[in-house]
Amino acid sequence: MLLSKWTAASPYGKEKHFLVTGVIQPEHPATRIETIVMEAVYSRRVFSLSWRDLTDGQRWLQGWQ
């Protein structure tokens, strides 16, 4: 998952291509990872979201397209 490439299905401005730049570790080691950090390739804007959001094909496409 780390450093995987993603394309926004509906780009906002010039932000279309993103990289997963971080995985936020939960406070309790036995808890599953839920949150990732995405970075826009063009603007370098950083935001976090649930990794499960990436499974929505209406919003995200795997790879750079």
Side-chain angles (χ1 to χ4, degrees), residues 5-9 54 56-65:
K5 300 173 183 177
W6 295 86
T7 300
L54 296 177
D56 183 358
Q58 299 284 329
R59 295 175 55 197
W60 295 102
L61 304 170
Q62 190 170 16
W64 288 346
Q65 302 175 19

Side-chain angles (χ1 to χ4, degrees), residues 18-64:
F18 298 84
L19 282 172
V20 175
T21 58
V23 176
I24 298 175
Q25 299 294 326
E27 290 184 28
H28 303 288
T31 307
R32 293 183 181 187
I33 294 171
E34 291 290 327
T35 308
I36 59 170
V37 178
M38 299 280 284
E39 180 178 330
V41 173
Y42 181 75
S43 69
R44 302 282 190 212
R45 182 177 69 96
V46 176
F47 61 95
S48 61
L49 73 153
S50 170
W51 70 267
R52 294 178 207 275
D53 290 344
L54 296 177
T55 61
D56 183 358
Q58 299 284 329
R59 295 175 55 197
W60 295 102
L61 304 170
Q62 190 170 16
W64 288 346

